[in-house]
Amino acid sequence: MAAQAPTHFPDRPQFSGVMKPCRLEGEVSHLEAHGAIPNDIDGTFYRVMPDPQLPPFIQDDPWFNGDGSISAFRIKDGKVSFKHKYVQTEKLKREREAKRALLGKYRNKYTDAVESKVRTTANTNIIHFNGKLIALKEDAPPYALDPETLETLGLHTFDGQLPSLTFTAHPKFDPKTGEMICFGYEAKGNGPPDVCYYRVAPDGKFLEVVWLVAPVVGMIHDFAVTENFVLFPIMPQVCDLERLKQGGEHWQWSPETPFYVGVLPRTGAKPEDVKWFQYRNSFPGHVSNTFKDSSGNLVMDIALSDKNVFLWWPDAQWNAPEPSSIVSQLKRFVIDPKSSNLHLADPEVLQEDNSEFYRIDDRFATQLYRHCFYDMLNPAWGTDFPGITHQPGGGYPLYNSVRHLDLQTRKVEVYFPGRTHMVQEPVFIPRRGSCEEGDGYLLALVNNYATMSSELHLLDTKNFTKVQAVILLPVRLRQGLHGNWVDDDKP
């Protein structure tokens, strides 16, 4: 750590342009809107972004390492209000008091200036469960927040029931039972290959805990759930405790390591019941959905790339792909959970364009589904890349459109927001009173690089290619990670 605290953010892409830290808290009512916001939309869009409150003392600190900053967009009676606050983590409060950054490299406590009880930034996802907002990052227990005020309530261990030191950033919800299905990897701390799987009832009571040992200490950012099984896709980004102690990175790409998928019965499982299937070295991203087909096979739709998408964590020889060469596609694996052959067949390519951040109608999670919505990058759509090249910043993926894929007909629809716009992860809002899958609205935060401000774009899924309404924010928000829609009548 430098003797003197840095007084400005590093001159790096991840701290410039649209990625320049916002460092704001506040609220604005009656946001400007162009177009009509339907009156049947009544709820809140919560999203989280990494946003460092103070300059780091690590010059190449990745975008992922910023403090968790929560946005809440309340929509009611055709009006939108906006509220924004930091999660009051131990890190954030201690650094505010010290007036300088105290934590070092991403998920490496050996590079910190001080010791912490809980080191997390709570910056990856925000969910609503059992009356609370829960801010998540997969390196620690979550933090609970008040859904109305965004005030931090404290570290959330489910009244002491949480068995793991870590909690996934992507818990899944069973739409039929209301159950939350979760896990933690590196569940006993940095380095060991322990995975802890658990299920939580709608009232917060833990129903089941199963401890597993993974074949490699790799990142398990997302996972998949069917009505009867859970699947753990392991990224070949691997952790080594000795490397951490020497001040190195938590993650390092391992080109020799296969892409593993652990398959475990969802209920009543024992540690020895897990099967670790494997596929050739590749990078698994986010899961769209997973379900059981008529033959009893597990069908997992997941982003997959043959290159290291997290190129800022290269291999041991510092090899990393050229950014423009990275393509992530939605692919479908079919897995027989009873098979003794643990080598996976090649997946079906569901769409060939560079895409990620898949979202569905969550009422059809864990089941056969038809509609998938996601971000896509296609330069042919006419984005003015030369005109905005000085503004994008860096360290995050660029997507210039939102796409709807009908998995039954394979028909696709594309919404292109404009030549100077880039989209963030969308969320699906069911149309009030409709039970039809995919009938509703799509809402996404969009960065306008011409005005250097952010906007919400609202689409009606019945007229997907045309924007229903554009809601203007009086501020610029950095690239976020994940968010969720919460209807006003959700308990």
Side-chain angles (χ1 to χ4, degrees):
M1 178 177 176
Q4 184 174 354
T7 58
H8 61 85
F9 286 91
D11 185 17
R12 297 288 193 274
Q14 63 267 39
F15 300 109
S16 65
V18 78
M19 291 301 285
K20 189 173 181 62
C22 304
R23 305 194 297 161
L24 63 89
E25 293 186 298
E27 55 186 278
V28 182
S29 60
H30 303 294
L31 294 179
E32 289 184 78
H34 294 259
I37 301 171
N39 285 329
D40 68 328
I41 299 178
D42 186 1
T44 306
F45 170 36
Y46 298 101
R47 49 87 70 178
V48 62
M49 66 183 187
D51 190 33
Q53 65 164 343
L54 292 165
F57 60 83
I58 303 295
Q59 284 291 299
D60 264 327
D61 202 31
W63 160 61
F64 283 178
N65 212 20
D67 296 290
S69 190
I70 310 294
S71 303
F73 299 97
R74 178 74 174 95
I75 305 179
K76 185 178 179 63
D77 298 329
K79 307 292 182 183
V80 185
S81 61
F82 165 60
K83 191 172 294 184
H84 195 86
K85 284 189 180 180
Y86 276 108
V87 184
Q88 297 292 312
T89 61
E90 177 186 346
K91 171 188 182 296
L92 184 129
K93 290 192 290 187
R94 291 182 69 180
E95 289 185 340
R96 278 188 176 177
E97 183 178 354
K99 299 181 175 59
R100 64 179 299 165
L102 298 173
L103 271 62
K105 287 189 174 181
Y106 181 86
R107 293 182 68 172
N108 188 345
K109 65 180 181 180
Y110 301 102
T111 64
D112 294 348
V114 297
E115 290 188 9
S116 304
K117 292 180 181 179
V118 178
R119 195 180 181 273
T120 189
T121 54
N123 70 5
T124 309
N125 201 357
I126 183 81
I127 63 168
H128 186 280
F129 181 70
N130 194 24
K132 295 183 177 70
L133 283 181
I134 304 178
L136 306 167
K137 185 177 177 182
E138 59 210 56
D139 62 351
Y143 274 82
L145 292 84
D146 184 288
E148 295 295 327
T149 67
L150 300 186
E151 293 294 333
T152 301
L153 304 176
L155 203 66
H156 191 54
T157 63
F158 299 85
D159 295 324
Q161 297 178 90
L162 186 63
S164 168
L165 294 178
T166 59
F167 188 100
T168 178
H170 284 286
K172 306 297 181 184
F173 295 90
D174 188 314
K176 295 180 180 178
T177 66
E179 177 183 305
M180 181 167 67
I181 303 99
C182 322
F183 74 100
Y185 70 92
E186 291 187 76
K188 294 181 180 179
N190 292 336
D194 303 278
V195 177
C196 186
Y197 162 69
Y198 33 93
R199 298 186 296 117
V200 188
D203 63 1
K205 180 181 179 181
F206 274 55
L207 302 172
E208 183 174 11
V209 175
V210 183
W211 284 89
L212 312 170
V213 177
V216 63
V217 188
M219 182 186 291
I220 315 176
H221 175 63
D222 199 358
F223 80 130
V225 177
T226 74
E227 292 181 332
N228 298 302
F229 285 90
V230 291
L231 297 85
F232 303 99
I234 302 183
M235 224 179 262
Q237 285 281 0
V238 298
C239 175
D240 178 75
L241 185 57
E242 289 307 311
R243 185 174 68 242
L244 289 176
K245 290 180 178 179
Q246 293 168 15
E249 299 293 340
H250 190 106
W251 299 118
Q252 184 177 90
W253 180 253
S254 174
E256 300 83 19
T257 299
F259 160 38
Y260 287 102
V261 180
V263 175
L264 182 77
R266 181 170 144 181
T267 60
K270 301 182 293 295
E272 57 269 26
D273 293 334
V274 68
K275 287 185 177 182
W276 294 103
F277 292 84
Q278 60 179 275
Y279 187 66
R280 65 173 179 264
N281 179 260
S282 26
F283 185 103
H286 291 105
V287 173
S288 173
N289 199 12
T290 307
F291 58 92
K292 183 180 72 172
D293 68 13
S294 59
S295 300
N297 296 317
L298 308 179
V299 180
M300 179 175 69
D301 296 347
I302 187 171
L304 199 72
S305 175
D306 61 359
K307 295 183 179 177
N308 174 20
V309 175
F310 290 167
L311 54 91
W312 49 87
W313 291 315
D315 67 20
Q317 285 71 47
W318 295 95
N319 296 313
E322 200 281 320
S324 64
S325 70
I326 299 172
V327 175
S328 180
Q329 300 172 316
L330 182 61
K331 296 187 178 183
R332 171 168 287 182
F333 284 93
V334 178
I335 304 171
D336 180 359
K338 298 184 291 295
S339 176
S340 58
N341 179 6
L342 299 182
H343 291 271
L344 296 176
D346 286 337
E348 175 190 1
V349 178
L350 296 179
Q351 66 83 38
E352 296 182 349
D353 289 301
N354 191 8
S355 64
E356 246 289 3
F357 294 103
Y358 309 103
R359 301 305 298 257
I360 65 168
D361 182 339
D362 288 329
R363 297 172 298 179
F364 292 81
T366 77
Q367 309 159 59
L368 177 66
Y369 74 118
R370 178 173 179 174
H371 299 284
C372 179
F373 309 95
Y374 52 91
D375 290 346
M376 180 181 71
L377 175 64
N378 189 334
W381 278 93
T383 296
D384 182 17
F385 286 106
I388 66 173
T389 189
H390 63 294
Q391 296 289 18
Y396 69 99
L398 289 172
Y399 297 104
N400 65 351
S401 51
V402 181
R403 190 169 185 171
H404 166 225
L405 171 63
D406 185 323
L407 289 158
Q408 187 176 102
T409 65
R410 300 302 168 95
K411 176 186 175 183
V412 296
E413 297 176 291
V414 177
Y415 169 66
F416 178 66
R419 299 181 69 245
T420 61
H421 295 68
M422 293 290 171
V423 300
Q424 299 194 26
E425 179 192 54
V427 293
F428 175 76
I429 305 171
R431 196 182 309 275
R432 196 164 291 272
S434 174
C435 297
E436 178 188 346
E437 182 193 351
D439 181 24
Y441 309 94
L442 211 67
L443 184 66
L445 192 75
V446 176
N447 290 330
N448 185 333
Y449 290 77
T451 62
M452 286 298 285
S453 61
S454 298
E455 306 166 356
L456 286 173
H457 287 213
L458 179 69
L459 311 178
D460 189 319
T461 60
K462 296 294 188 184
N463 189 20
F464 189 82
T465 62
K466 304 294 183 182
V467 69
Q468 171 79 29
V470 174
I471 299 109
L472 304 181
L473 276 65
V475 295
R476 169 189 53 84
L477 296 178
R478 296 178 100 212
Q479 179 74 17
L481 284 165
H482 299 290
N484 289 282
W485 173 260
V486 179
D487 274 323
D488 188 55
D489 57 3
K490 184 169 182 176

